[in-house]
Amino acid sequence: MLSNLRKFVVSHKKIPILHVNNMCCSKMRSSLQRLKPHVPLGRNYSSLPGLIGNDIKSLHSVINPPITKIRNIGIMAHIDAGKTTTTERILYYSGYTRSLGDVDDGDTVTDFMAQERERGITIQSAAVTFDWKGYRVNLIDTPGHVDFTLEVERCLRVLDGAVAVFDASAGVEAQTLTVWRQADKHKIPRICFLNKMDKTGASFKYAVESIKEKLKAKPLLLQLPLGEGKAFKGVVDVVNKEKLLWNPNSDDGKDFVRNPLLEMSDPELLKETTEARNALIEQVADLDDEFADLVLGEFSENFDLLPAEKLQTAIRRVTLAQTAVPVLCGSALKNKGVQPLLDAVTVYLPSPEERNYEFLPWYKGDLCALAFKVLHDKQRGPLVFMRIYSGMIKPQLAIYNINGNCTERISRLLLPFADQHIEIPSLTAGNIALTVGLKHTATGDTIASSKSSALAAARRAETEGGKKHRRNNEAERLLLAGVEIPEPVFFCTIEPPSVAKQPDLDYALKCLQREDPSLKVKLDADSGQTVLCGMGELHIEIIHDRIKREYGLETYLGPLQVAYRETILNAVRATDTLDRTLGDKRHLVTVELEVKPVETASVMPVIEYAGSVSEDLPTASQEATENGIHSAFLQGPLLGSPVQDVAVAVHSLIIHPGTSTTMISACVSRCIQKALKKADKQVLEPLMKLEVTVTRDYLSLVLADLAQRRGTIQEIQTRQENKIITGFVPLAEIMGYSTVLRTLTSGSATFALELSNYEAMNPQDQTVLLSRRSGLTQVL
């Protein structure tokens, strides 16, 4: 159908057109010519993925490569480990860009938001598609800041593999642990890249030891560095016993030589590499029985005779089994070690068909996809990122949203290139697509081709899975595990510049909420004010800035407040009766229940029914009772904060015939509030895990400051010239800490925060908090 496909160049000077010769299908030609990517000034793109150099490929291989040749990977790391710089180098060497972007210069491909370029941090994960040596790579650059943990979570959910980037001078840091745990949860095979080997204080040995100790992982050393710090000039390929040296006169790092290690020229290095290779072979043999049989049989006398291909195949198996992680090293900023990292991605990380998904057989090849991210574009409207697990997506296709129980139509289909997108005619399983035209689909929604297809898959799940998958609602069996959204820890009021602008603010917040599920918006019932709830100071600051820039609204933020929780310390019983006549109908409910503390931390109330109640309680009445309990737990008696760690036992529930479910909920809710007021109450405050990296000179100053902030120091470690303070500090005491820490240490210290848990306040601090809150109320 297509004999010739010429290369086309995307430039910011004109709208590109895909030139296709000898096409027998005019419809295909017209669909290919609808390429209207928005290209920001100053970016120089190369060709469409799959059209590198003068290669001529079929249209199908360009857009839908074989599934074995697809790699869906993410770049994850602690703040400032070099994720975005590594991504920039990957894009440059793959031919996606023609100039090297720099975070400090604010011209990177994946950090395209104004806030990202100004601050030099990644806020939104960005997807990029490119080719490398015949492989299609869908890469996602994720944030490292704890405020944007959800961005990492929802991207890892749909990836098949990941590259964990480490600062070679720091090893495993606080946020590295967090993203590593997230990858463990989703069972994602990983490769470790020890970046910044050129940095003063870089230590390959230290970084590897920290991976062993802190991550409890087994590192497989596939490379050794040639020098460290300013002396770093290249790497040794342990598997092939080769030396990779980059040309010091090259500006972009494209020129490097790969030479075999020889006894004559590098006797010491050859000996060290041979020992490292033998250790690697023994390590892999311990983890892989098939490889152990091969080594003990054919190559037991001399490991040097073992072919590199056999060793690579075994390393791939243990990587996919997640029993070990390959370790590579380099310096993304200095353009060294990135090409071997790309080779390792294609060799060791899995293709989509190598990941096991139990739900795939239920669909029998029909469409099954997960919407994992939503963006709002001023021209196109909502853009929904989808991971396709089975089937195919095309423009004008009607799809069924299982979560929303609605049918929508995809108007256009795009390949994601950060903030530039190229329109395509179809996309098959294993790929990441960007769809236009879906008005109701949100993060975490499962997509099928039709309602009948979804129900057929549900019946297969029930038949094949047996009791394991039995649930009340057939469609529920099909819901792919969505994204766990963390509870917000900060909140503040937000007001428009005038009452007339309130609808505009509501629309902006609705769009931002759909993009970012960790942002919660609620209406304060007492004051009528809109309240923003977020994951941290930076999170709320970014949202405020985006409302101003993207929606043109000058909003006002109230003071930032901590999201406290409440609980009770003793069991209390309460009884309540609601008797109301509306029209000619009498509504009568009498309820007796008990609230009591539970030891295990539980945000949702644990609900128990007495035997006499549960026997003849209709389903509708039970749902109304539980709705009443849940609504009562949203506001506690002390601060109006949510109540947690409490169980409710319903001892008696008498309902007059004809009583509405709304009245049942109201009566139960009022009874719960009465019981909570009678109990001994306790405020729970969010406790943050804090890690501060500081030089010895300022250690005592930082420790003294943390003591004033009610901080508890867990341990102090030594990392080369620095001290690492690990401890716990109440969130209320850590607001504005970055400014204070910079002042105390002359800007030399850094810190990382992570929510640990909610902990009971001591009576004295609780009294101070309550009196301060009541004083604020009187002033208002």
Side-chain angles (χ1 to χ4, degrees), residues 711-733:
T712 308
I713 306 303
Q714 202 177 20
E715 62 176 333
I716 302 173
Q717 296 177 329
T718 302
R719 182 192 289 161
Q720 280 129 22
E721 300 301 312
N722 294 326
K723 292 289 186 182
I724 312 299
I725 306 165
T726 310
F728 297 94
V729 185
L731 179 61
E733 303 291 342

Side-chain angles (χ1 to χ4, degrees), residues 23-59:
M23 287 194 67
C24 63
C25 179
S26 61
K27 188 176 178 183
M28 181 68 80
R29 185 191 288 115
S30 63
S31 72
L32 285 168
Q33 287 179 336
R34 290 200 311 272
L35 302 177
K36 299 177 183 176
H38 163 67
V39 186
L41 202 64
R43 183 95 62 77
N44 198 354
Y45 288 94
S46 138
S47 55
L48 181 72
L51 298 175
I52 293 171
N54 294 315
D55 289 352
I56 296 174
K57 300 187 179 183
S58 73
L59 180 66

Side-chain angles (χ1 to χ4, degrees), residues 198-210:
D198 63 308
K199 189 177 173 183
T200 305
S203 169
F204 182 80
K205 187 179 177 184
Y206 170 78
V208 171
E209 283 302 315
S210 73

